[in-house]
Every structure is written in structure tokens, then in C-alpha cells.
Amino acid sequence: SMKQAIEKLRISGGIYIWKYADNERNYPGWNLTVDLVASRELTQLFDLMDQCEWSTSKKIFTSLPTDDEVSVPNNRNGNAKWTTKPEITLSTRTTENPDYWVINETQKNLEIHFGKQKLKELKEAIISIPNGKGDFSISDDSDENILTFWWRVRK
């Protein structure tokens, strides 16, 4: 089944998430980048999620951000304090509005819940990162729900 395929899909590439503790007014919400391998794997995941008629979710371990990731937004010349989470959970909500987009934080996990339309936007964002695209966000009306995408110094 699609759900089993989603469970079995191995995500081995680098997924980096961080949130600034400094200068949050200019850099609200969460930041995300991926390497080329993770971009390809997540694209596959989003395709499977898109084809599944049910709500699905996938918990993935993140990689610890380094200067290569955190220096890209140039917050305080790359010296701004930040925090991260060891896990990210990506969840489609097929019963919700297509524009549904909510980010929840637990102690170890960043949970991102999204409807069908936001799934498409997320996929396009992830595909564009290795092509050097970034400094754009997906969000709703709330600062807590902002996810900003960045390119990486190294692909």
C-alpha cells in the first residue's frame, strides 16, 4: 500500500532545521535546507503522500546544522544564536482545507502538518533548493507557522 511505501522509504540525506534565538523579528519561525540526496528522497516522499488518499505522516531524523547552513541567512553575520530539533515529522491532512498549514514543536520534534495544496508548495520548495533557490517561505497568518527555505553553500 501507499502507507507502507511511505513507512519503508528511507531518508538518508541531510535535512537541516533551525530557529533563531536572536533577532527573531527579522527571522521569525523555522528555517530549513536540504542536501541534494534529501531533496530527491523528500520529493519521492511527497509524491507518495500526494497519491495516498489517507492522511499520512513520516518521522525523519535531522542533521545538526553547521556554519554551511546557518551562515546563509546572514543573521547577525552568521553569529546569531539558534536552536534545532533532532526530528522532523511531515504529515499530510487530507481531511483539512488544501491550504492547511500548522507547525507544532515538541521537545525533540518539529511537526509540520499540511493540506494538499501546501504539500505541492513544499515539494516545489524542496526541489528548488539544490538549484540555489531560497529566502522564501511557506506559512499561514501566524509567525509560529513560518517555514523559510534556504540554499546550501555545498550542494
Side-chain angles (χ1 to χ4, degrees), residues 107-120:
Q107 196 186 342
K108 287 188 169 172
N109 198 312
L110 187 68
E111 303 170 352
I112 306 179
H113 306 274
F114 42 87
K116 282 282 197 188
Q117 178 54 37
K118 293 293 190 192
L119 168 63
K120 288 185 171 57

Side-chain angles (χ1 to χ4, degrees), residues 28-145:
W30 281 88
N31 300 279
L32 180 144
T33 192
V34 293
D35 65 17
L36 183 59
V37 173
S39 174
R40 287 180 179 151
E41 291 166 338
L42 288 171
T43 300
Q44 213 180 335
L45 172 66
F46 294 141
D47 283 341
L48 290 171
M49 285 179 154
D50 199 28
Q51 289 160 34
C52 191
E53 58 186 309
W54 314 109
S55 294
T56 56
S57 77
K58 178 86 174 167
K59 186 168 86 175
I60 304 163
F61 291 104
T62 63
S63 299
L64 193 63
T66 68
D67 283 349
D68 274 356
E69 289 77 41
V70 179
S71 65
V72 170
N74 202 26
N75 186 0
R76 304 240 160 117
N77 297 319
N79 295 316
K81 290 187 192 67
W82 51 271
T83 58
T84 185
K85 302 268 180 198
E87 300 164 358
I88 189 169
T89 299
L90 300 167
S91 298
T92 55
R93 294 294 183 86
T94 52
T95 53
E96 297 283 353
N97 178 317
D99 269 344
Y100 184 76
W101 178 262
V102 172
I103 296 179
N104 280 325
E105 283 180 52
T106 66
Q107 196 186 342
K108 287 188 169 172
N109 198 312
L110 187 68
E111 303 170 352
I112 306 179
H113 306 274
F114 42 87
K116 282 282 197 188
Q117 178 54 37
K118 293 293 190 192
L119 168 63
K120 288 185 171 57
E121 291 177 32
L122 197 47
K123 181 183 155 184
E124 282 164 21
I126 293 293
I127 287 171
S128 75
I129 291 171
N131 302 326
K133 299 278 191 300
D135 199 3
F136 64 91
S137 307
I138 296 177
S139 67
D140 64 358
D141 300 332
S142 163
D143 270 4
E144 292 92 77
N145 291 323

